[in-house]
Amino acid sequence: MSMSGSTVAVRTALALYPGRYRRERGDELADVFADTTAEAGRAAKVRELLDLGAYGLRMRTGLTSTSRGGRLAALAAPLVVGAAAGLKGTQALLEHLADGVNGVPDPAWGLRYFLPYWGLLLGALLSAGAALLGRWTAAKLLAGLAALAAVADLVVAVTAPEVVQPLWVFLEAFQWDGPFVLWALVLLAAPSDVLPVPAWRERALMAAAAVLVPVVAFTDDVYSSRHQLDSPWRALMVVVPLLMALSAVRGWYLVAVPGLAVLPWALSVNLHALWQQQGGAWKLLPMAALTVAAAVALAVVGRRRGSRGRRLA
């Protein structure tokens, strides 16, 4: 990396920081980067540059180790990796059993089907294995791989030649792929420096999530038909974990953590049926408006409480 190229790259990374922080500390950060990487090789410089930019992005999004969002994501991480591994593993097992009865899938699907399938399955399972060993960086990378495979699967579903209603197909496929994309985002949002070193408690949480999520998913049969659950129940399945997750603004992490872990699945699995049952996406707006109002109220109350606490301290 040349001197001019390094300068441009550092400026680009610093652009990710909030404006006020960049004005106050930008020169200092650039000097520290220059001193740290003065004798480093290209790979080390790139790694330091990525770390520099990533922390700026965390500051801008409020996902640092000292923020509520960052702490919540870190606390939810064991549940997230366990849920992803358990749900995808169960899906794969059921699909394997079904293939044994119905025969092997049409080979015409070829790589368009099998690469996303195996990428998602192996990414979810190996991510949980890495987390069990405390290798959170590897767990994040593997969860990201699973998310990319899920996105590829969604693209394959929507772009198939026979598709005439892309939105319908997207929402139907999102039931199966969406949770892994959203769970990966939660894991990636967790700051590495506050992720737990796995002890019996974290491993128990991973195991519990790996068992409970697929049991709930397939026992209630929420995937199969609009008639399995009425729309009010499906709406509650989304709203309740969302409000639980938002209770983090009050510092109620014991409530917020399971809410955040459940929300990716609850949201993904119910959007399609709600859209069908209500007869159009626009009819979901009243429920969405009430949910947003409740979220804003929680945020305002939490902010006022936090400000009062700072004044009294």
mmCIF file of all heavy atoms in Angstrom, residues 100-146:
data_model
loop_
_atom_site.group_PDB
_atom_site.id
_atom_site.type_symbol
_atom_site.label_atom_id
_atom_site.label_comp_id
_atom_site.label_asym_id
_atom_site.label_seq_id
_atom_site.Cartn_x
_atom_site.Cartn_y
_atom_site.Cartn_z
ATOM 1 N N GLY A 100 -35.971 -38.933 1.357
ATOM 2 C CA GLY A 100 -35.969 -40.386 1.410
ATOM 3 C C GLY A 100 -37.303 -40.976 1.014
ATOM 4 O O GLY A 100 -37.373 -42.092 0.493
ATOM 5 N N VAL A 101 -38.374 -40.213 1.223
ATOM 6 C CA VAL A 101 -39.716 -40.681 0.871
ATOM 7 C C VAL A 101 -40.068 -40.303 -0.558
ATOM 8 O O VAL A 101 -40.594 -41.091 -1.332
ATOM 9 C CB VAL A 101 -40.770 -40.090 1.846
ATOM 10 C CG1 VAL A 101 -42.174 -40.464 1.397
ATOM 11 C CG2 VAL A 101 -40.499 -40.576 3.257
ATOM 12 N N ASN A 102 -39.756 -39.057 -0.938
ATOM 13 C CA ASN A 102 -40.205 -38.526 -2.223
ATOM 14 C C ASN A 102 -39.175 -38.660 -3.337
ATOM 15 O O ASN A 102 -39.471 -38.334 -4.478
ATOM 16 C CB ASN A 102 -40.558 -37.038 -2.059
ATOM 17 C CG ASN A 102 -41.647 -36.833 -1.027
ATOM 18 O OD1 ASN A 102 -42.552 -37.648 -0.911
ATOM 19 N ND2 ASN A 102 -41.558 -35.745 -0.279
ATOM 20 N N GLY A 103 -37.982 -39.091 -2.982
ATOM 21 C CA GLY A 103 -36.956 -39.198 -3.997
ATOM 22 C C GLY A 103 -36.001 -38.022 -3.970
ATOM 23 O O GLY A 103 -36.200 -37.046 -3.258
ATOM 24 N N VAL A 104 -34.945 -38.092 -4.767
ATOM 25 C CA VAL A 104 -33.922 -37.057 -4.808
ATOM 26 C C VAL A 104 -34.448 -35.854 -5.572
ATOM 27 O O VAL A 104 -35.166 -36.009 -6.574
ATOM 28 C CB VAL A 104 -32.649 -37.613 -5.483
ATOM 29 C CG1 VAL A 104 -31.571 -36.544 -5.569
ATOM 30 C CG2 VAL A 104 -32.152 -38.830 -4.723
ATOM 31 N N PRO A 105 -34.142 -34.618 -5.122
ATOM 32 C CA PRO A 105 -34.596 -33.437 -5.861
ATOM 33 C C PRO A 105 -34.106 -33.436 -7.301
ATOM 34 O O PRO A 105 -33.095 -34.040 -7.638
ATOM 35 C CB PRO A 105 -33.974 -32.274 -5.062
ATOM 36 C CG PRO A 105 -33.740 -32.829 -3.710
ATOM 37 C CD PRO A 105 -33.416 -34.278 -3.903
ATOM 38 N N ASP A 106 -34.817 -32.753 -8.149
ATOM 39 C CA ASP A 106 -34.495 -32.659 -9.567
ATOM 40 C C ASP A 106 -33.073 -32.127 -9.762
ATOM 41 O O ASP A 106 -32.758 -31.034 -9.298
ATOM 42 C CB ASP A 106 -35.495 -31.717 -10.241
ATOM 43 C CG ASP A 106 -35.299 -31.669 -11.755
ATOM 44 O OD1 ASP A 106 -34.342 -32.285 -12.247
ATOM 45 O OD2 ASP A 106 -36.111 -31.000 -12.412
ATOM 46 N N PRO A 107 -32.197 -32.890 -10.443
ATOM 47 C CA PRO A 107 -30.815 -32.424 -10.643
ATOM 48 C C PRO A 107 -30.723 -31.118 -11.428
ATOM 49 O O PRO A 107 -29.688 -30.463 -11.423
ATOM 50 C CB PRO A 107 -30.177 -33.580 -11.435
ATOM 51 C CG PRO A 107 -31.048 -34.766 -11.168
ATOM 52 C CD PRO A 107 -32.438 -34.219 -10.991
ATOM 53 N N ALA A 108 -31.808 -30.733 -12.109
ATOM 54 C CA ALA A 108 -31.774 -29.489 -12.882
ATOM 55 C C ALA A 108 -31.521 -28.275 -11.999
ATOM 56 O O ALA A 108 -31.050 -27.244 -12.463
ATOM 57 C CB ALA A 108 -33.086 -29.308 -13.648
ATOM 58 N N TRP A 109 -31.854 -28.391 -10.708
ATOM 59 C CA TRP A 109 -31.575 -27.286 -9.795
ATOM 60 C C TRP A 109 -30.080 -27.035 -9.698
ATOM 61 O O TRP A 109 -29.626 -25.909 -9.568
ATOM 62 C CB TRP A 109 -32.141 -27.597 -8.403
ATOM 63 C CG TRP A 109 -33.589 -27.318 -8.280
ATOM 64 C CD1 TRP A 109 -34.610 -28.191 -8.452
ATOM 65 C CD2 TRP A 109 -34.189 -26.065 -7.972
ATOM 66 N NE1 TRP A 109 -35.807 -27.567 -8.271
ATOM 67 C CE2 TRP A 109 -35.577 -26.258 -7.970
ATOM 68 C CE3 TRP A 109 -33.682 -24.798 -7.704
ATOM 69 C CZ2 TRP A 109 -36.473 -25.237 -7.704
ATOM 70 C CZ3 TRP A 109 -34.572 -23.773 -7.437
ATOM 71 C CH2 TRP A 109 -35.952 -23.991 -7.445
ATOM 72 N N GLY A 110 -29.315 -28.122 -9.720
ATOM 73 C CA GLY A 110 -27.865 -28.018 -9.736
ATOM 74 C C GLY A 110 -27.302 -27.100 -8.669
ATOM 75 O O GLY A 110 -27.763 -27.071 -7.526
ATOM 76 N N LEU A 111 -26.290 -26.327 -9.065
ATOM 77 C CA LEU A 111 -25.589 -25.457 -8.130
ATOM 78 C C LEU A 111 -26.479 -24.331 -7.609
ATOM 79 O O LEU A 111 -26.250 -23.815 -6.518
ATOM 80 C CB LEU A 111 -24.348 -24.872 -8.802
ATOM 81 C CG LEU A 111 -23.269 -25.884 -9.201
ATOM 82 C CD1 LEU A 111 -22.105 -25.164 -9.867
ATOM 83 C CD2 LEU A 111 -22.782 -26.678 -7.994
ATOM 84 N N ARG A 112 -27.484 -23.932 -8.372
ATOM 85 C CA ARG A 112 -28.369 -22.847 -7.937
ATOM 86 C C ARG A 112 -29.071 -23.201 -6.632
ATOM 87 O O ARG A 112 -29.439 -22.322 -5.861
ATOM 88 C CB ARG A 112 -29.415 -22.529 -9.010
ATOM 89 C CG ARG A 112 -28.846 -22.003 -10.291
ATOM 90 C CD ARG A 112 -29.930 -21.669 -11.291
ATOM 91 N NE ARG A 112 -30.593 -20.422 -10.955
ATOM 92 C CZ ARG A 112 -31.896 -20.286 -10.850
ATOM 93 N NH1 ARG A 112 -32.685 -21.320 -11.000
ATOM 94 N NH2 ARG A 112 -32.435 -19.114 -10.571
ATOM 95 N N TYR A 113 -29.303 -24.484 -6.403
ATOM 96 C CA TYR A 113 -29.971 -24.906 -5.171
ATOM 97 C C TYR A 113 -28.958 -25.360 -4.121
ATOM 98 O O TYR A 113 -29.014 -24.945 -2.972
ATOM 99 C CB TYR A 113 -30.952 -26.036 -5.471
ATOM 100 C CG TYR A 113 -31.566 -26.651 -4.221
ATOM 101 C CD1 TYR A 113 -32.620 -26.032 -3.571
ATOM 102 C CD2 TYR A 113 -31.071 -27.841 -3.691
ATOM 103 C CE1 TYR A 113 -33.176 -26.581 -2.435
ATOM 104 C CE2 TYR A 113 -31.622 -28.396 -2.553
ATOM 105 C CZ TYR A 113 -32.675 -27.771 -1.923
ATOM 106 O OH TYR A 113 -33.215 -28.315 -0.795
ATOM 107 N N PHE A 114 -28.030 -26.211 -4.513
ATOM 108 C CA PHE A 114 -27.194 -26.888 -3.528
ATOM 109 C C PHE A 114 -26.127 -25.996 -2.910
ATOM 110 O O PHE A 114 -25.771 -26.184 -1.743
ATOM 111 C CB PHE A 114 -26.561 -28.147 -4.140
ATOM 112 C CG PHE A 114 -27.547 -29.254 -4.345
ATOM 113 C CD1 PHE A 114 -28.026 -29.567 -5.599
ATOM 114 C CD2 PHE A 114 -28.027 -29.964 -3.267
ATOM 115 C CE1 PHE A 114 -28.954 -30.573 -5.784
ATOM 116 C CE2 PHE A 114 -28.948 -30.974 -3.431
ATOM 117 C CZ PHE A 114 -29.417 -31.283 -4.699
ATOM 118 N N LEU A 115 -25.573 -25.036 -3.647
ATOM 119 C CA LEU A 115 -24.578 -24.154 -3.038
ATOM 120 C C LEU A 115 -25.182 -23.289 -1.928
ATOM 121 O O LEU A 115 -24.627 -23.235 -0.821
ATOM 122 C CB LEU A 115 -23.904 -23.294 -4.108
ATOM 123 C CG LEU A 115 -22.800 -23.974 -4.929
ATOM 124 C CD1 LEU A 115 -22.204 -22.982 -5.916
ATOM 125 C CD2 LEU A 115 -21.718 -24.549 -4.026
ATOM 126 N N PRO A 116 -26.307 -22.605 -2.162
ATOM 127 C CA PRO A 116 -26.919 -21.877 -1.037
ATOM 128 C C PRO A 116 -27.327 -22.794 0.110
ATOM 129 O O PRO A 116 -27.178 -22.438 1.279
ATOM 130 C CB PRO A 116 -28.147 -21.210 -1.680
ATOM 131 C CG PRO A 116 -27.819 -21.104 -3.118
ATOM 132 C CD PRO A 116 -26.998 -22.308 -3.435
ATOM 133 N N TYR A 117 -27.825 -23.978 -0.222
ATOM 134 C CA TYR A 117 -28.268 -24.917 0.811
ATOM 135 C C TYR A 117 -27.109 -25.299 1.732
ATOM 136 O O TYR A 117 -27.205 -25.179 2.955
ATOM 137 C CB TYR A 117 -28.857 -26.166 0.154
ATOM 138 C CG TYR A 117 -29.216 -27.258 1.141
ATOM 139 C CD1 TYR A 117 -30.442 -27.247 1.788
ATOM 140 C CD2 TYR A 117 -28.324 -28.287 1.430
ATOM 141 C CE1 TYR A 117 -30.782 -28.242 2.689
ATOM 142 C CE2 TYR A 117 -28.649 -29.280 2.328
ATOM 143 C CZ TYR A 117 -29.872 -29.254 2.958
ATOM 144 O OH TYR A 117 -30.187 -30.245 3.869
ATOM 145 N N TRP A 118 -26.006 -25.749 1.140
ATOM 146 C CA TRP A 118 -24.880 -26.199 1.954
ATOM 147 C C TRP A 118 -24.153 -25.033 2.601
ATOM 148 O O TRP A 118 -23.633 -25.153 3.706
ATOM 149 C CB TRP A 118 -23.918 -27.036 1.112
ATOM 150 C CG TRP A 118 -24.452 -28.408 0.860
ATOM 151 C CD1 TRP A 118 -24.938 -28.913 -0.306
ATOM 152 C CD2 TRP A 118 -24.579 -29.461 1.825
ATOM 153 N NE1 TRP A 118 -25.363 -30.202 -0.137
ATOM 154 C CE2 TRP A 118 -25.155 -30.566 1.162
ATOM 155 C CE3 TRP A 118 -24.271 -29.576 3.177
ATOM 156 C CZ2 TRP A 118 -25.422 -31.767 1.802
ATOM 157 C CZ3 TRP A 118 -24.535 -30.771 3.821
ATOM 158 C CH2 TRP A 118 -25.098 -31.855 3.152
ATOM 159 N N GLY A 119 -24.113 -23.894 1.926
ATOM 160 C CA GLY A 119 -23.499 -22.719 2.541
ATOM 161 C C GLY A 119 -24.238 -22.291 3.790
ATOM 162 O O GLY A 119 -23.625 -21.965 4.817
ATOM 163 N N LEU A 120 -25.567 -22.313 3.734
ATOM 164 C CA LEU A 120 -26.381 -21.928 4.885
ATOM 165 C C LEU A 120 -26.277 -22.960 5.996
ATOM 166 O O LEU A 120 -26.088 -22.614 7.171
ATOM 167 C CB LEU A 120 -27.834 -21.754 4.448
ATOM 168 C CG LEU A 120 -28.863 -21.365 5.507
ATOM 169 C CD1 LEU A 120 -28.380 -20.226 6.383
ATOM 170 C CD2 LEU A 120 -30.183 -20.996 4.835
ATOM 171 N N LEU A 121 -26.371 -24.239 5.651
ATOM 172 C CA LEU A 121 -26.318 -25.291 6.668
ATOM 173 C C LEU A 121 -24.962 -25.321 7.371
ATOM 174 O O LEU A 121 -24.888 -25.274 8.606
ATOM 175 C CB LEU A 121 -26.604 -26.647 6.025
ATOM 176 C CG LEU A 121 -26.492 -27.868 6.946
ATOM 177 C CD1 LEU A 121 -27.479 -27.765 8.105
ATOM 178 C CD2 LEU A 121 -26.716 -29.158 6.158
ATOM 179 N N LEU A 122 -23.890 -25.381 6.601
ATOM 180 C CA LEU A 122 -22.561 -25.465 7.204
ATOM 181 C C LEU A 122 -22.196 -24.167 7.924
ATOM 182 O O LEU A 122 -21.575 -24.199 8.992
ATOM 183 C CB LEU A 122 -21.518 -25.778 6.133
ATOM 184 C CG LEU A 122 -21.628 -27.177 5.511
ATOM 185 C CD1 LEU A 122 -20.589 -27.343 4.405
ATOM 186 C CD2 LEU A 122 -21.464 -28.265 6.561
ATOM 187 N N GLY A 123 -22.594 -23.025 7.359
ATOM 188 C CA GLY A 123 -22.303 -21.756 8.015
ATOM 189 C C GLY A 123 -22.953 -21.662 9.383
ATOM 190 O O GLY A 123 -22.318 -21.263 10.365
ATOM 191 N N ALA A 124 -24.231 -22.063 9.469
ATOM 192 C CA ALA A 124 -24.951 -21.993 10.748
ATOM 193 C C ALA A 124 -24.366 -22.971 11.770
ATOM 194 O O ALA A 124 -24.154 -22.609 12.938
ATOM 195 C CB ALA A 124 -26.430 -22.278 10.523
ATOM 196 N N LEU A 125 -24.104 -24.205 11.349
ATOM 197 C CA LEU A 125 -23.598 -25.213 12.286
ATOM 198 C C LEU A 125 -22.178 -24.884 12.748
ATOM 199 O O LEU A 125 -21.859 -24.973 13.949
ATOM 200 C CB LEU A 125 -23.638 -26.597 11.642
ATOM 201 C CG LEU A 125 -25.025 -27.155 11.311
ATOM 202 C CD1 LEU A 125 -24.903 -28.525 10.638
ATOM 203 C CD2 LEU A 125 -25.880 -27.273 12.573
ATOM 204 N N LEU A 126 -21.312 -24.523 11.802
ATOM 205 C CA LEU A 126 -19.917 -24.226 12.166
ATOM 206 C C LEU A 126 -19.811 -22.939 12.974
ATOM 207 O O LEU A 126 -18.922 -22.810 13.828
ATOM 208 C CB LEU A 126 -19.058 -24.150 10.912
ATOM 209 C CG LEU A 126 -18.882 -25.467 10.146
ATOM 210 C CD1 LEU A 126 -18.095 -25.244 8.858
ATOM 211 C CD2 LEU A 126 -18.203 -26.527 11.018
ATOM 212 N N SER A 127 -20.701 -21.980 12.728
ATOM 213 C CA SER A 127 -20.703 -20.755 13.525
ATOM 214 C C SER A 127 -20.998 -21.072 14.986
ATOM 215 O O SER A 127 -20.334 -20.544 15.891
ATOM 216 C CB SER A 127 -21.751 -19.779 12.978
ATOM 217 O OG SER A 127 -21.820 -18.616 13.774
ATOM 218 N N ALA A 128 -21.967 -21.944 15.226
ATOM 219 C CA ALA A 128 -22.270 -22.349 16.604
ATOM 220 C C ALA A 128 -21.095 -23.096 17.224
ATOM 221 O O ALA A 128 -20.769 -22.908 18.405
ATOM 222 C CB ALA A 128 -23.532 -23.209 16.631
ATOM 223 N N GLY A 129 -20.441 -23.956 16.428
ATOM 224 C CA GLY A 129 -19.276 -24.673 16.949
ATOM 225 C C GLY A 129 -18.153 -23.737 17.333
ATOM 226 O O GLY A 129 -17.517 -23.900 18.379
ATOM 227 N N ALA A 130 -17.903 -22.720 16.496
ATOM 228 C CA ALA A 130 -16.863 -21.736 16.818
ATOM 229 C C ALA A 130 -17.223 -20.949 18.072
ATOM 230 O O ALA A 130 -16.361 -20.662 18.913
ATOM 231 C CB ALA A 130 -16.664 -20.788 15.634
ATOM 232 N N ALA A 131 -18.499 -20.597 18.220
ATOM 233 C CA ALA A 131 -18.924 -19.868 19.412
ATOM 234 C C ALA A 131 -18.748 -20.708 20.671
ATOM 235 O O ALA A 131 -18.357 -20.195 21.722
ATOM 236 C CB ALA A 131 -20.380 -19.426 19.262
ATOM 237 N N LEU A 132 -19.029 -22.001 20.582
ATOM 238 C CA LEU A 132 -18.834 -22.886 21.739
ATOM 239 C C LEU A 132 -17.381 -22.892 22.198
ATOM 240 O O LEU A 132 -17.098 -23.058 23.390
ATOM 241 C CB LEU A 132 -19.271 -24.307 21.384
ATOM 242 C CG LEU A 132 -20.769 -24.590 21.376
ATOM 243 C CD1 LEU A 132 -21.041 -25.968 20.787
ATOM 244 C CD2 LEU A 132 -21.356 -24.490 22.785
ATOM 245 N N LEU A 133 -16.462 -22.706 21.255
ATOM 246 C CA LEU A 133 -15.038 -22.685 21.574
ATOM 247 C C LEU A 133 -14.536 -21.288 21.915
ATOM 248 O O LEU A 133 -13.351 -21.110 22.181
ATOM 249 C CB LEU A 133 -14.239 -23.249 20.396
ATOM 250 C CG LEU A 133 -14.522 -24.706 20.029
ATOM 251 C CD1 LEU A 133 -13.776 -25.081 18.759
ATOM 252 C CD2 LEU A 133 -14.147 -25.638 21.173
ATOM 253 N N GLY A 134 -15.439 -20.311 21.879
ATOM 254 C CA GLY A 134 -15.033 -18.941 22.174
ATOM 255 C C GLY A 134 -14.370 -18.234 21.014
ATOM 256 O O GLY A 134 -13.795 -17.147 21.184
ATOM 257 N N ARG A 135 -14.458 -18.785 19.811
ATOM 258 C CA ARG A 135 -13.871 -18.176 18.612
ATOM 259 C C ARG A 135 -14.917 -17.293 17.944
ATOM 260 O O ARG A 135 -15.479 -17.630 16.900
ATOM 261 C CB ARG A 135 -13.374 -19.260 17.653
ATOM 262 C CG ARG A 135 -12.433 -20.284 18.284
ATOM 263 C CD ARG A 135 -11.124 -19.645 18.660
ATOM 264 N NE ARG A 135 -10.162 -20.632 19.150
ATOM 265 C CZ ARG A 135 -8.945 -20.340 19.569
ATOM 266 N NH1 ARG A 135 -8.538 -19.082 19.552
ATOM 267 N NH2 ARG A 135 -8.132 -21.284 20.008
ATOM 268 N N TRP A 136 -15.168 -16.139 18.543
ATOM 269 C CA TRP A 136 -16.269 -15.308 18.082
ATOM 270 C C TRP A 136 -16.001 -14.676 16.724
ATOM 271 O O TRP A 136 -16.935 -14.456 15.940
ATOM 272 C CB TRP A 136 -16.583 -14.236 19.117
ATOM 273 C CG TRP A 136 -17.281 -14.771 20.323
ATOM 274 C CD1 TRP A 136 -16.772 -14.926 21.577
ATOM 275 C CD2 TRP A 136 -18.635 -15.237 20.389
ATOM 276 N NE1 TRP A 136 -17.713 -15.459 22.425
ATOM 277 C CE2 TRP A 136 -18.873 -15.650 21.720
ATOM 278 C CE3 TRP A 136 -19.674 -15.337 19.460
ATOM 279 C CZ2 TRP A 136 -20.100 -16.165 22.143
ATOM 280 C CZ3 TRP A 136 -20.896 -15.854 19.876
ATOM 281 C CH2 TRP A 136 -21.092 -16.251 21.198
ATOM 282 N N THR A 137 -14.753 -14.377 16.405
ATOM 283 C CA THR A 137 -14.458 -13.825 15.084
ATOM 284 C C THR A 137 -14.809 -14.832 13.998
ATOM 285 O O THR A 137 -15.443 -14.482 12.989
ATOM 286 C CB THR A 137 -12.974 -13.434 14.978
ATOM 287 O OG1 THR A 137 -12.683 -12.438 15.956
ATOM 288 C CG2 THR A 137 -12.654 -12.886 13.597
ATOM 289 N N ALA A 138 -14.410 -16.081 14.206
ATOM 290 C CA ALA A 138 -14.771 -17.132 13.254
ATOM 291 C C ALA A 138 -16.281 -17.338 13.219
ATOM 292 O O ALA A 138 -16.861 -17.545 12.147
ATOM 293 C CB ALA A 138 -14.065 -18.436 13.635
ATOM 294 N N ALA A 139 -16.922 -17.271 14.379
ATOM 295 C CA ALA A 139 -18.375 -17.431 14.432
ATOM 296 C C ALA A 139 -19.071 -16.348 13.620
ATOM 297 O O ALA A 139 -20.043 -16.612 12.901
ATOM 298 C CB ALA A 139 -18.853 -17.407 15.882
ATOM 299 N N LYS A 140 -18.576 -15.118 13.701
ATOM 300 C CA LYS A 140 -19.161 -14.018 12.926
ATOM 301 C C LYS A 140 -18.962 -14.238 11.434
ATOM 302 O O LYS A 140 -19.889 -14.032 10.630
ATOM 303 C CB LYS A 140 -18.529 -12.692 13.345
ATOM 304 C CG LYS A 140 -18.959 -12.192 14.714
ATOM 305 C CD LYS A 140 -18.345 -10.818 14.963
ATOM 306 C CE LYS A 140 -18.812 -10.233 16.279
ATOM 307 N NZ LYS A 140 -18.372 -8.841 16.458
ATOM 308 N N LEU A 141 -17.756 -14.621 11.034
ATOM 309 C CA LEU A 141 -17.486 -14.846 9.614
ATOM 310 C C LEU A 141 -18.369 -15.958 9.058
ATOM 311 O O LEU A 141 -18.922 -15.842 7.953
ATOM 312 C CB LEU A 141 -16.008 -15.188 9.403
ATOM 313 C CG LEU A 141 -15.015 -14.048 9.646
ATOM 314 C CD1 LEU A 141 -13.581 -14.565 9.566
ATOM 315 C CD2 LEU A 141 -15.225 -12.921 8.644
ATOM 316 N N LEU A 142 -18.520 -17.035 9.812
ATOM 317 C CA LEU A 142 -19.340 -18.159 9.361
ATOM 318 C C LEU A 142 -20.820 -17.795 9.336
ATOM 319 O O LEU A 142 -21.559 -18.218 8.442
ATOM 320 C CB LEU A 142 -19.096 -19.363 10.267
ATOM 321 C CG LEU A 142 -17.712 -20.005 10.110
ATOM 322 C CD1 LEU A 142 -17.393 -20.908 11.299
ATOM 323 C CD2 LEU A 142 -17.653 -20.797 8.804
ATOM 324 N N ALA A 143 -21.260 -16.997 10.314
ATOM 325 C CA ALA A 143 -22.646 -16.520 10.286
ATOM 326 C C ALA A 143 -22.871 -15.615 9.081
ATOM 327 O O ALA A 143 -23.938 -15.647 8.454
ATOM 328 C CB ALA A 143 -22.971 -15.778 11.577
ATOM 329 N N GLY A 144 -21.866 -14.793 8.744
ATOM 330 C CA GLY A 144 -21.958 -13.967 7.543
ATOM 331 C C GLY A 144 -22.057 -14.812 6.285
ATOM 332 O O GLY A 144 -22.819 -14.494 5.367
ATOM 333 N N LEU A 145 -21.300 -15.929 6.252
ATOM 334 C CA LEU A 145 -21.394 -16.854 5.122
ATOM 335 C C LEU A 145 -22.803 -17.432 5.024
ATOM 336 O O LEU A 145 -23.381 -17.524 3.932
ATOM 337 C CB LEU A 145 -20.373 -17.979 5.296
ATOM 338 C CG LEU A 145 -20.493 -19.155 4.323
ATOM 339 C CD1 LEU A 145 -20.222 -18.699 2.899
ATOM 340 C CD2 LEU A 145 -19.527 -20.286 4.709
ATOM 341 N N ALA A 146 -23.363 -17.823 6.174
ATOM 342 C CA ALA A 146 -24.728 -18.358 6.175
ATOM 343 C C ALA A 146 -25.720 -17.317 5.674
ATOM 344 O O ALA A 146 -26.645 -17.638 4.915
ATOM 345 C CB ALA A 146 -25.093 -18.815 7.589
#
